[in-house]
PDB file of all heavy atoms in Angstrom:
ATOM      1  N   MET A1149      -0.495 -28.583   1.061  1.00  0.00           N
ATOM      2  CA  MET A1149      -0.841 -28.547   2.480  1.00  0.00           C
ATOM      3  C   MET A1149      -1.228 -27.138   2.877  1.00  0.00           C
ATOM      4  O   MET A1149      -0.774 -26.168   2.287  1.00  0.00           O
ATOM      5  CB  MET A1149       0.359 -28.977   3.327  1.00  0.00           C
ATOM      6  CG  MET A1149       1.562 -28.056   3.190  1.00  0.00           C
ATOM      7  SD  MET A1149       2.946 -28.627   4.179  1.00  0.00           S
ATOM      8  CE  MET A1149       4.152 -27.389   3.724  1.00  0.00           C
ATOM      9  N   CYS A1173       3.310 -25.266  -2.587  1.00  0.00           N
ATOM     10  CA  CYS A1173       2.875 -26.373  -1.734  1.00  0.00           C
ATOM     11  C   CYS A1173       1.687 -25.993  -0.871  1.00  0.00           C
ATOM     12  O   CYS A1173       0.975 -26.861  -0.382  1.00  0.00           O
ATOM     13  CB  CYS A1173       4.037 -26.825  -0.833  1.00  0.00           C
ATOM     14  SG  CYS A1173       5.405 -27.550  -1.755  1.00  0.00           S
ATOM     15  N   ALA A1206       5.023  -9.582   6.349  1.00  0.00           N
ATOM     16  CA  ALA A1206       4.287  -8.916   7.424  1.00  0.00           C
ATOM     17  C   ALA A1206       2.947  -9.603   7.690  1.00  0.00           C
ATOM     18  O   ALA A1206       2.469  -9.613   8.828  1.00  0.00           O
ATOM     19  CB  ALA A1206       4.066  -7.444   7.080  1.00  0.00           C
ATOM     20  N   GLY A1219      -5.466 -17.066  18.821  1.00  0.00           N
ATOM     21  CA  GLY A1219      -6.263 -17.069  17.601  1.00  0.00           C
ATOM     22  C   GLY A1219      -7.387 -16.043  17.627  1.00  0.00           C
ATOM     23  O   GLY A1219      -7.317 -15.031  18.328  1.00  0.00           O
ATOM     24  N   PRO A1230       0.386 -19.277  -2.157  1.00  0.00           N
ATOM     25  CA  PRO A1230       1.127 -19.536  -3.385  1.00  0.00           C
ATOM     26  C   PRO A1230       1.617 -18.235  -4.001  1.00  0.00           C
ATOM     27  O   PRO A1230       1.024 -17.175  -3.796  1.00  0.00           O
ATOM     28  CB  PRO A1230       0.096 -20.227  -4.281  1.00  0.00           C
ATOM     29  CG  PRO A1230      -1.212 -19.691  -3.803  1.00  0.00           C
ATOM     30  CD  PRO A1230      -1.057 -19.557  -2.316  1.00  0.00           C
ATOM     31  N   PRO A1232       2.053 -15.571  -6.745  1.00  0.00           N
ATOM     32  CA  PRO A1232       1.468 -15.152  -8.026  1.00  0.00           C
ATOM     33  C   PRO A1232       2.510 -14.773  -9.073  1.00  0.00           C
ATOM     34  O   PRO A1232       2.173 -14.574 -10.239  1.00  0.00           O
ATOM     35  CB  PRO A1232       0.621 -13.921  -7.645  1.00  0.00           C
ATOM     36  CG  PRO A1232       0.460 -14.005  -6.162  1.00  0.00           C
ATOM     37  CD  PRO A1232       1.704 -14.656  -5.652  1.00  0.00           C
ATOM     38  N   TYR A1239      -2.610 -14.331 -10.949  1.00  0.00           N
ATOM     39  CA  TYR A1239      -3.432 -13.801  -9.863  1.00  0.00           C
ATOM     40  C   TYR A1239      -4.890 -14.228 -10.019  1.00  0.00           C
ATOM     41  O   TYR A1239      -5.544 -14.633  -9.051  1.00  0.00           O
ATOM     42  CB  TYR A1239      -3.351 -12.276  -9.822  1.00  0.00           C
ATOM     43  CG  TYR A1239      -2.372 -11.743  -8.807  1.00  0.00           C
ATOM     44  CD1 TYR A1239      -1.184 -11.155  -9.197  1.00  0.00           C
ATOM     45  CD2 TYR A1239      -2.640 -11.811  -7.447  1.00  0.00           C
ATOM     46  CE1 TYR A1239      -0.283 -10.661  -8.278  1.00  0.00           C
ATOM     47  CE2 TYR A1239      -1.758 -11.320  -6.503  1.00  0.00           C
ATOM     48  CZ  TYR A1239      -0.577 -10.736  -6.922  1.00  0.00           C
ATOM     49  OH  TYR A1239       0.307 -10.247  -6.005  1.00  0.00           O
ATOM     50  N   ALA A1257      -4.580  -9.631  -1.593  1.00  0.00           N
ATOM     51  CA  ALA A1257      -4.002  -9.958  -2.894  1.00  0.00           C
ATOM     52  C   ALA A1257      -3.597  -8.711  -3.666  1.00  0.00           C
ATOM     53  O   ALA A1257      -4.383  -7.781  -3.813  1.00  0.00           O
ATOM     54  CB  ALA A1257      -4.997 -10.771  -3.736  1.00  0.00           C
ATOM     55  N   THR A1281      -4.144  -3.632  -0.192  1.00  0.00           N
ATOM     56  CA  THR A1281      -3.372  -2.890   0.802  1.00  0.00           C
ATOM     57  C   THR A1281      -2.348  -1.913   0.238  1.00  0.00           C
ATOM     58  O   THR A1281      -1.683  -1.216   1.000  1.00  0.00           O
ATOM     59  CB  THR A1281      -2.629  -3.876   1.724  1.00  0.00           C
ATOM     60  OG1 THR A1281      -1.697  -4.639   0.948  1.00  0.00           O
ATOM     61  CG2 THR A1281      -3.612  -4.811   2.421  1.00  0.00           C
ATOM     62  N   VAL A1307       2.331  15.739   1.019  1.00  0.00           N
ATOM     63  CA  VAL A1307       3.630  16.255   0.610  1.00  0.00           C
ATOM     64  C   VAL A1307       3.529  17.496  -0.283  1.00  0.00           C
ATOM     65  O   VAL A1307       4.363  18.404  -0.188  1.00  0.00           O
ATOM     66  CB  VAL A1307       4.455  15.143  -0.073  1.00  0.00           C
ATOM     67  CG1 VAL A1307       3.858  14.718  -1.414  1.00  0.00           C
ATOM     68  CG2 VAL A1307       5.898  15.553  -0.227  1.00  0.00           C
ATOM     69  N   ASP A1334      -3.474  13.606 -12.240  1.00  0.00           N
ATOM     70  CA  ASP A1334      -4.706  14.393 -12.123  1.00  0.00           C
ATOM     71  C   ASP A1334      -4.859  14.945 -10.705  1.00  0.00           C
ATOM     72  O   ASP A1334      -5.288  16.087 -10.510  1.00  0.00           O
ATOM     73  CB  ASP A1334      -5.923  13.534 -12.481  1.00  0.00           C
ATOM     74  CG  ASP A1334      -6.048  13.282 -13.972  1.00  0.00           C
ATOM     75  OD1 ASP A1334      -5.427  14.019 -14.759  1.00  0.00           O
ATOM     76  OD2 ASP A1334      -6.773  12.340 -14.346  1.00  0.00           O
ATOM     77  N   ALA A1340      -2.815  21.121  -6.649  1.00  0.00           N
ATOM     78  CA  ALA A1340      -2.161  22.383  -7.000  1.00  0.00           C
ATOM     79  C   ALA A1340      -3.178  23.513  -6.993  1.00  0.00           C
ATOM     80  O   ALA A1340      -2.932  24.600  -6.437  1.00  0.00           O
ATOM     81  CB  ALA A1340      -1.490  22.269  -8.359  1.00  0.00           C
ATOM     82  N   SER A1361      17.489  11.316 -19.730  1.00  0.00           N
ATOM     83  CA  SER A1361      18.250  12.536 -20.025  1.00  0.00           C
ATOM     84  C   SER A1361      17.362  13.617 -20.636  1.00  0.00           C
ATOM     85  O   SER A1361      17.472  14.805 -20.268  1.00  0.00           O
ATOM     86  CB  SER A1361      19.424  12.228 -20.956  1.00  0.00           C
ATOM     87  OG  SER A1361      18.976  11.631 -22.166  1.00  0.00           O
ATOM     88  N   GLN A1431       9.798   2.334   7.365  1.00  0.00           N
ATOM     89  CA  GLN A1431      10.504   1.715   8.489  1.00  0.00           C
ATOM     90  C   GLN A1431      11.047   2.759   9.462  1.00  0.00           C
ATOM     91  O   GLN A1431      11.161   2.497  10.664  1.00  0.00           O
ATOM     92  CB  GLN A1431      11.644   0.865   7.916  1.00  0.00           C
ATOM     93  CG  GLN A1431      12.482   0.131   8.924  1.00  0.00           C
ATOM     94  CD  GLN A1431      13.483  -0.769   8.246  1.00  0.00           C
ATOM     95  OE1 GLN A1431      13.115  -1.781   7.649  1.00  0.00           O
ATOM     96  NE2 GLN A1431      14.752  -0.419   8.305  1.00  0.00           N
ATOM     97  N   VAL A1445       9.170  -2.895  14.148  1.00  0.00           N
ATOM     98  CA  VAL A1445      10.388  -3.157  13.382  1.00  0.00           C
ATOM     99  C   VAL A1445      11.153  -4.334  13.986  1.00  0.00           C
ATOM    100  O   VAL A1445      11.592  -5.246  13.263  1.00  0.00           O
ATOM    101  CB  VAL A1445      11.270  -1.900  13.318  1.00  0.00           C
ATOM    102  CG1 VAL A1445      12.610  -2.217  12.661  1.00  0.00           C
ATOM    103  CG2 VAL A1445      10.571  -0.787  12.537  1.00  0.00           C
ATOM    104  N   GLU A1463       3.128  -2.744   6.348  1.00  0.00           N
ATOM    105  CA  GLU A1463       2.361  -2.298   7.512  1.00  0.00           C
ATOM    106  C   GLU A1463       0.873  -2.373   7.236  1.00  0.00           C
ATOM    107  O   GLU A1463       0.078  -2.723   8.123  1.00  0.00           O
ATOM    108  CB  GLU A1463       2.753  -0.874   7.897  1.00  0.00           C
ATOM    109  CG  GLU A1463       2.233  -0.450   9.254  1.00  0.00           C
ATOM    110  CD  GLU A1463       1.346   0.790   9.239  1.00  0.00           C
ATOM    111  OE1 GLU A1463       0.931   1.220   8.140  1.00  0.00           O
ATOM    112  OE2 GLU A1463       1.061   1.325  10.327  1.00  0.00           O
ATOM    113  N   LYS A1473      -9.347  -9.387  12.446  1.00  0.00           N
ATOM    114  CA  LYS A1473      -9.514 -10.092  13.724  1.00  0.00           C
ATOM    115  C   LYS A1473     -10.558  -9.392  14.594  1.00  0.00           C
ATOM    116  O   LYS A1473     -11.457 -10.030  15.148  1.00  0.00           O
ATOM    117  CB  LYS A1473      -8.173 -10.158  14.454  1.00  0.00           C
ATOM    118  CG  LYS A1473      -8.240 -10.750  15.864  1.00  0.00           C
ATOM    119  CD  LYS A1473      -6.856 -10.742  16.515  1.00  0.00           C
ATOM    120  CE  LYS A1473      -6.877 -11.411  17.892  1.00  0.00           C
ATOM    121  NZ  LYS A1473      -7.576 -10.595  18.908  1.00  0.00           N
ATOM    122  N   ILE A1495     -14.258   0.115  12.673  1.00  0.00           N
ATOM    123  CA  ILE A1495     -13.145  -0.588  13.313  1.00  0.00           C
ATOM    124  C   ILE A1495     -11.916   0.325  13.360  1.00  0.00           C
ATOM    125  O   ILE A1495     -11.589   1.019  12.394  1.00  0.00           O
ATOM    126  CB  ILE A1495     -12.808  -1.874  12.534  1.00  0.00           C
ATOM    127  CG1 ILE A1495     -13.953  -2.887  12.648  1.00  0.00           C
ATOM    128  CG2 ILE A1495     -11.490  -2.479  13.000  1.00  0.00           C
ATOM    129  CD1 ILE A1495     -14.072  -3.550  13.998  1.00  0.00           C
ATOM    130  N   THR A1496     -11.225   0.310  14.492  1.00  0.00           N
ATOM    131  CA  THR A1496      -9.972   1.065  14.643  1.00  0.00           C
ATOM    132  C   THR A1496      -8.859   0.108  15.043  1.00  0.00           C
ATOM    133  O   THR A1496      -9.110  -1.024  15.476  1.00  0.00           O
ATOM    134  CB  THR A1496     -10.107   2.171  15.701  1.00  0.00           C
ATOM    135  OG1 THR A1496     -10.343   1.574  16.987  1.00  0.00           O
ATOM    136  CG2 THR A1496     -11.234   3.126  15.356  1.00  0.00           C
ATOM    137  N   TYR A1497      -7.591   0.598  14.917  1.00  0.00           N
ATOM    138  CA  TYR A1497      -6.459  -0.220  15.335  1.00  0.00           C
ATOM    139  C   TYR A1497      -5.262   0.672  15.627  1.00  0.00           C
ATOM    140  O   TYR A1497      -5.011   1.638  14.886  1.00  0.00           O
ATOM    141  CB  TYR A1497      -6.086  -1.253  14.262  1.00  0.00           C
ATOM    142  CG  TYR A1497      -5.001  -2.184  14.748  1.00  0.00           C
ATOM    143  CD1 TYR A1497      -5.284  -3.149  15.719  1.00  0.00           C
ATOM    144  CD2 TYR A1497      -3.698  -2.061  14.296  1.00  0.00           C
ATOM    145  CE1 TYR A1497      -4.285  -3.976  16.208  1.00  0.00           C
ATOM    146  CE2 TYR A1497      -2.704  -2.889  14.771  1.00  0.00           C
ATOM    147  CZ  TYR A1497      -2.996  -3.843  15.734  1.00  0.00           C
ATOM    148  OH  TYR A1497      -2.002  -4.649  16.226  1.00  0.00           O
ATOM    149  N   GLU A1507      -5.397   5.840  17.175  1.00  0.00           N
ATOM    150  CA  GLU A1507      -5.673   4.665  16.363  1.00  0.00           C
ATOM    151  C   GLU A1507      -6.168   5.108  14.995  1.00  0.00           C
ATOM    152  O   GLU A1507      -6.868   6.113  14.880  1.00  0.00           O
ATOM    153  CB  GLU A1507      -6.723   3.766  17.033  1.00  0.00           C
ATOM    154  CG  GLU A1507      -6.275   3.195  18.368  1.00  0.00           C
ATOM    155  CD  GLU A1507      -7.151   2.056  18.859  1.00  0.00           C
ATOM    156  OE1 GLU A1507      -8.142   1.719  18.174  1.00  0.00           O
ATOM    157  OE2 GLU A1507      -6.832   1.499  19.926  1.00  0.00           O
ATOM    158  N   ASP A1527      18.248  13.135   3.088  1.00  0.00           N
ATOM    159  CA  ASP A1527      19.293  14.144   2.878  1.00  0.00           C
ATOM    160  C   ASP A1527      20.336  13.621   1.898  1.00  0.00           C
ATOM    161  O   ASP A1527      20.178  12.545   1.302  1.00  0.00           O
ATOM    162  CB  ASP A1527      19.904  14.580   4.210  1.00  0.00           C
ATOM    163  CG  ASP A1527      20.686  13.469   4.909  1.00  0.00           C
ATOM    164  OD1 ASP A1527      21.029  12.450   4.265  1.00  0.00           O
ATOM    165  OD2 ASP A1527      20.969  13.626   6.117  1.00  0.00           O
ATOM    166  N   ASP A1541      -7.845  12.484   6.395  1.00  0.00           N
ATOM    167  CA  ASP A1541      -9.000  11.645   6.126  1.00  0.00           C
ATOM    168  C   ASP A1541      -9.121  11.338   4.639  1.00  0.00           C
ATOM    169  O   ASP A1541      -8.644  12.108   3.789  1.00  0.00           O
ATOM    170  CB  ASP A1541     -10.281  12.340   6.592  1.00  0.00           C
ATOM    171  CG  ASP A1541     -10.360  12.481   8.102  1.00  0.00           C
ATOM    172  OD1 ASP A1541      -9.516  11.893   8.804  1.00  0.00           O
ATOM    173  OD2 ASP A1541     -11.277  13.190   8.569  1.00  0.00           O
ATOM    174  N   CYS A1551     -19.879   8.228  -1.846  1.00  0.00           N
ATOM    175  CA  CYS A1551     -19.892   6.773  -1.711  1.00  0.00           C
ATOM    176  C   CYS A1551     -20.328   6.402  -0.294  1.00  0.00           C
ATOM    177  O   CYS A1551     -19.743   6.856   0.691  1.00  0.00           O
ATOM    178  CB  CYS A1551     -18.492   6.222  -1.998  1.00  0.00           C
ATOM    179  SG  CYS A1551     -18.244   4.486  -1.599  1.00  0.00           S
ATOM    180  N   GLN A1561     -15.174   2.258  -9.721  1.00  0.00           N
ATOM    181  CA  GLN A1561     -14.055   3.144  -9.407  1.00  0.00           C
ATOM    182  C   GLN A1561     -14.331   4.519  -9.999  1.00  0.00           C
ATOM    183  O   GLN A1561     -14.585   4.662 -11.194  1.00  0.00           O
ATOM    184  CB  GLN A1561     -12.726   2.610  -9.943  1.00  0.00           C
ATOM    185  CG  GLN A1561     -11.548   3.534  -9.584  1.00  0.00           C
ATOM    186  CD  GLN A1561     -10.190   2.954  -9.929  1.00  0.00           C
ATOM    187  OE1 GLN A1561     -10.074   2.029 -10.735  1.00  0.00           O
ATOM    188  NE2 GLN A1561      -9.141   3.499  -9.334  1.00  0.00           N
TER     189      GLN A1561
END
Side-chain angles (χ1 to χ4, degrees):
M1149 62 181 178
C1173 294
Y1239 262 109
T1281 63
V1307 68
D1334 286 342
S1361 57
Q1431 181 175 290
V1445 173
E1463 192 238 12
K1473 174 181 184 289
I1495 293 287
T1496 64
Y1497 185 72
E1507 297 194 358
D1527 67 16
D1541 292 351
C1551 170
Q1561 181 172 19

